[in-house]
């Protein structure tokens, strides 16, 4: 194992983050579109590689108490933190292992879902090979793995930023801070009108949004090794794995393609993998969340009834399109929000639109990244309870200054004032008392708005 990689993660904590594309219900729905019918999440065996302090896996484990989870990470402090968090939040169905993927072997049953987010591009080649071997050896017959990675050629445009930050950080005014280096760079580039200048400014904005700690483990990590999609698929094939689909479809939305790309891609319709590689060339995509299965897994185009059982999460404000059928489906979806329920549960209420038409619209919206499909619903009450409480794990995340994780598995950051209010949501104080305590700071309206937001994100128990 690369010493620099293990040292980085043992000496400093990786910023905690949950990843919707690595949620097994999202993986299951996307795998289905690729032709694989996976096991029910509620009865599955799930493995996470590089789990860090458990921020991703713990909320999923809490939501599926009968599912068995295993999670490994090379960082001893991160695993200790994950175990302590699970303990305090009363989550008992995750086994955390402090282990290097190079030497860890699964001695139990195979896994139905394997999640490796933020791992592949940030480790040495031997660990990449070990990950693919583990997926091959440990996936169940209809199991699915999600591996995220940085992609070329899009990512190569960001490589100079690493060198620039490392150079600028050394200037006394930057005090060894990457964000200060970015600020300096941005002010130096002010007024730049060249293509290079505009490109750099866009990258600076993106990098700054990550924050100091995230940058350290992302763009500035000891290993940052992006690859072409076609290269990744080739390695997977060599390891006896088959590429299925993407878990997160939004970055591959056809809407992001330049106008002239369609005829070129059309010419390649018999070779969908090459088509995808070309789409990456045309869009400059930087990241993928690829789903893999065993090379001998049985794949089948999903039938209509199976598609009807998929649940739809709305990700954007759905537009009025002027197309009557699409607009009726969008109206029906708006009416289900913020819940994420199966197509079958609302399809009958859509006038003058056959179930087949509705499913076809949903699949188009999915391709466009406007909705996300899940194999299980997300149902909660939006109402503010008399004594509002955050879940035990979210209270723990708050204590550790980490993002809280909403019902859709999105990490949510809050400003300091809002965090103080969230901290008081432990089920011991009434809503009226909490609102009353905001009187002195004149924050009553803001507190009401905050609670409405928390209700819509399914954060209140
Ligand atoms: C960039 S972090 C990603 C954490 C988390 N999965 C996420 O995406 O937010 C990579 C994680 O992989 C772990 N890691 C790196 N090399 C490893 C290895 N050889 N075996 C097991 N874990 C490793 C690190 O300790 C770190 O927690």
């Amino acid at each position: 194992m690369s010493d620099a990689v293990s040292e980085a993660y043992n000496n400093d904590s990786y910023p905690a983050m949950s990843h919707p594309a690595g949620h097994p219900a999202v993986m299951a729905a996307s795998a289905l579109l690729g032709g694989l019918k996976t096991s029910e999440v509620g009865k599955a065996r799930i493995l996470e590689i590089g789990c860090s302090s458990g921020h991703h896996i713990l909320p999923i484990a809490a939501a599926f108490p009968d599912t068995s989870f295993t999670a490994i990470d090379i960082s001893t402090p991160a695993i200790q933190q994950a175990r302590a968090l699970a303990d305090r939040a009363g989550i008992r169905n995750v086994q955390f292992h402090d282990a290097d993927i190079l030497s860890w072997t699964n001695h139990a049953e195979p896994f139905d879902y394997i999640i490796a987010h933020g791992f592949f591009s940030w480790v040495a080649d031997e660990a990449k090979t070990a990950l693919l071997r583990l997926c091959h050896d440990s996936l169940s017959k209809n199991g699915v793995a999600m591996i995220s990675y940085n992609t070329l050629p899009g990512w190569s445009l960001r490589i100079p930023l690493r060198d620039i930050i490392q150079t600028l950080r050394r200037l006394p005014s930057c005090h060894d801070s990457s964000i200060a280096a970015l600020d300096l760079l941005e002010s130096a580039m002010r007024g730049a009108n060249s293509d290079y200048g505009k490109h750099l400014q866009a990258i600076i904005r993106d990098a700054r949004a990550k924050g100091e700690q995230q940058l350290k483990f992302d763009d500035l990590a000891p290993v940052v090794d992006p690859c072409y999609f076609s290269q990744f698929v080739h390695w997977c094939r060599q390891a006896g794995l088959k590429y299925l689909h993407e878990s997160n479809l939004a970055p591959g939305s056809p809407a992001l393609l330049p106008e002239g790309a369609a005829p070129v891609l059309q010419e390649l319709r018999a070779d969908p993998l090459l088509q995808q590689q070309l789409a990456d060339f045309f869009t400059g995509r930087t990241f993928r969340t690829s789903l893999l299965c065993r090379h001998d897994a049985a794949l089948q185009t999903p039938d209509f009834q199976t598609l009807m059982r998929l649940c739809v999460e709305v990700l954007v404000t759905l537009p009025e399109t002027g197309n009557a059928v699409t607009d009726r489906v969008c109206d029906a979806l708006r009416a289900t929000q913020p819940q994420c329920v199966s197509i079958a549960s609302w399809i009958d209420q859509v006038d003058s639109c056959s179930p087949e038409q509705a499913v076809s619209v949903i699949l188009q919206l999915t391709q466009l990244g406007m909705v996300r499909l899940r194999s299980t619903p997300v149902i909660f009450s939006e109402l503010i309870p008399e004594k509002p409480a955050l879940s035990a794990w979210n209270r723990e995340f708050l204590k550790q200054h980490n993002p809280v994780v909403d019902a859709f598995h999105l990490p949510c950051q809050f400003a300091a004032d809002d965090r103080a209010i969230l901290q008081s949501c432990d089920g011991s104080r009434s809503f009226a008392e909490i609102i009353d305590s905001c009187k002195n700071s004149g924050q009553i309206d803001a507190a009401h708005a905050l609670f409405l937001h928390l209700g819509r994100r399914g954060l209140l128990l």
Side-chain angles (χ1 to χ4, degrees), residues 1 5 9 14 17 19 48-52 72-75 99-101 117-119 123 127 217:
M1 161 82 253
V5 174
Y9 291 107
Y14 180 79
M17 201 64 77
H19 307 281
E48 187 185 15
I49 303 294
C51 63
S52 194
I72 78 162
D73 200 287
I74 199 168
S75 160
D100 185 342
I101 194 167
H117 193 282
F119 188 86
V123 291
F217 289 99

Side-chain angles (χ1 to χ4, degrees), residues 70-146:
T70 303
I72 78 162
D73 200 287
I74 199 168
S75 160
T76 307
I79 289 292
Q80 282 168 346
Q81 205 184 344
R83 285 192 185 124
L85 264 169
D87 229 32
R88 288 197 295 271
I91 300 170
R92 307 199 197 293
N93 50 339
V94 193
Q95 279 189 6
F96 287 103
H97 298 282
D98 161 2
D100 185 342
I101 194 167
L102 295 187
S103 49
W104 188 76
T105 327
N106 172 36
H107 294 293
E109 300 283 298
F111 294 99
D112 304 302
Y113 297 86
I114 298 180
I115 304 155
H117 193 282
F119 188 86
F120 196 81
S121 296
W122 294 269
V123 291
D125 286 353
E126 48 183 358
K128 291 184 182 64
T129 308
L131 173 63
L132 295 179
R133 192 170 43 235
L134 179 70
C135 291
H136 172 265
D137 295 348
S138 302
L139 268 182
S140 64
K141 235 176 157 184
N142 58 343
V144 62
M146 191 284 296

Side-chain angles (χ1 to χ4, degrees), residues 269-461:
R269 61 186 179 283
D271 190 344
L273 294 182
L274 187 54
Q275 221 181 19
Q276 287 211 42
Q277 178 57 79
L278 258 87
D280 284 11
F281 289 162
F282 299 153
T283 56
R285 184 176 185 154
T286 54
F287 190 65
R288 277 184 173 267
T289 51
S290 294
L291 296 177
L292 310 169
C293 62
R294 282 166 49 148
H295 70 95
D296 55 355
L299 302 188
Q300 206 178 22
T301 307
D303 60 47
F304 174 68
Q305 291 308 327
T306 311
L307 291 173
M308 293 266 282
R309 283 196 291 276
L310 290 175
C311 304
V312 190
E313 175 189 349
V314 179
L315 300 176
V316 296
T317 305
L318 294 170
E320 294 290 336
T321 65
N323 175 302
V325 171
T326 305
D327 287 345
R328 270 196 284 275
V329 173
C330 289
D331 282 344
L333 283 174
R334 284 187 206 100
T336 66
Q337 276 186 278
Q339 320 281 348
C340 162
V341 291
S342 73
I343 303 173
S345 68
W346 50 260
I347 203 105
D348 292 343
Q349 289 139 42
V350 186
D351 289 336
S352 325
C353 166
S354 71
E356 286 80 0
Q357 281 174 315
V359 166
S360 154
V361 170
I362 298 288
L363 292 180
Q364 281 167 30
L365 296 174
T366 307
Q367 284 295 334
L368 290 168
M370 292 183 171
V371 303
R372 178 161 40 218
L373 299 175
R374 311 171 82 98
S375 63
T376 54
V378 181
I379 297 175
F380 51 85
S381 167
E382 271 185 81
L383 299 178
I384 301 167
E386 200 189 319
K387 289 189 170 179
L390 290 187
S391 63
W393 63 91
N394 269 333
R395 293 207 299 276
E396 292 299 326
F397 291 159
L398 266 183
K399 275 187 213 153
Q400 309 210 335
H401 302 279
N402 286 328
V404 299
V405 178
D406 74 8
F408 302 93
H409 207 55
L410 263 183
C412 308
Q413 295 279 14
F414 290 94
D417 284 351
D418 291 346
R419 288 180 79 86
I421 296 177
L422 286 174
Q423 245 138 12
S424 64
C425 292
D426 61 3
S428 70
R429 302 172 72 199
S430 71
F431 175 58
E433 272 177 282
I434 298 174
I435 291 290
D436 208 46
S437 67
C438 300
K439 251 188 199 152
N440 294 341
S441 54
Q443 297 288 322
I444 292 194
D445 287 349
H448 272 286
L450 173 68
F451 274 99
L452 286 180
H453 174 71
L454 297 177
R456 284 186 73 79
R457 301 311 306 173
L459 278 163
L460 296 175
L461 307 176

Side-chain angles (χ1 to χ4, degrees), residues 109-290:
E109 300 283 298
F111 294 99
D112 304 302
Y113 297 86
I114 298 180
I115 304 155
H117 193 282
F119 188 86
F120 196 81
S121 296
W122 294 269
V123 291
D125 286 353
E126 48 183 358
K128 291 184 182 64
T129 308
L131 173 63
L132 295 179
R133 192 170 43 235
L134 179 70
C135 291
H136 172 265
D137 295 348
S138 302
L139 268 182
S140 64
K141 235 176 157 184
N142 58 343
V144 62
M146 191 284 296
I147 299 183
S148 74
Y149 52 101
N150 287 338
T151 45
L152 293 172
W155 226 93
S156 62
L157 302 174
R158 300 167 59 139
I159 289 173
L161 193 65
R162 177 193 179 96
D163 300 329
I164 299 172
I165 292 179
Q166 277 167 350
T167 307
L168 291 181
R169 279 173 65 128
R170 290 194 218 116
L171 300 186
S173 65
C174 288
H175 303 290
D176 207 24
S177 149
S178 302
I179 295 296
L182 285 170
D183 288 343
L184 194 66
L185 180 60
E186 188 172 47
S187 86
M189 295 304 292
R190 203 173 306 131
N193 248 334
S194 61
D195 290 346
Y196 171 73
K198 286 183 198 152
H199 167 67
L200 200 54
Q201 281 161 340
I203 295 183
I204 295 169
R205 271 197 301 279
D206 188 42
R208 202 200 276 100
K210 292 184 185 175
E212 189 81 35
Q213 197 65 358
Q214 179 80 28
L215 268 178
K216 183 172 173 180
F217 289 99
D218 198 347
D219 302 54
L220 307 176
V223 175
V224 187
D225 189 15
C227 65
Y228 286 98
F229 169 69
S230 52
Q231 242 170 5
F232 178 78
V233 171
H234 174 69
W235 291 328
C236 293
R237 220 176 264 147
Q238 280 183 325
L241 295 163
K242 190 150 50 182
Y243 173 81
L244 262 181
H245 210 264
E246 288 301 299
S247 188
N248 180 9
L249 297 181
S253 163
L256 299 175
L257 282 166
E259 254 174 51
V264 185
L265 294 177
Q266 180 68 8
E267 199 182 317
L268 283 170
R269 61 186 179 283
D271 190 344
L273 294 182
L274 187 54
Q275 221 181 19
Q276 287 211 42
Q277 178 57 79
L278 258 87
D280 284 11
F281 289 162
F282 299 153
T283 56
R285 184 176 185 154
T286 54
F287 190 65
R288 277 184 173 267
T289 51
S290 294

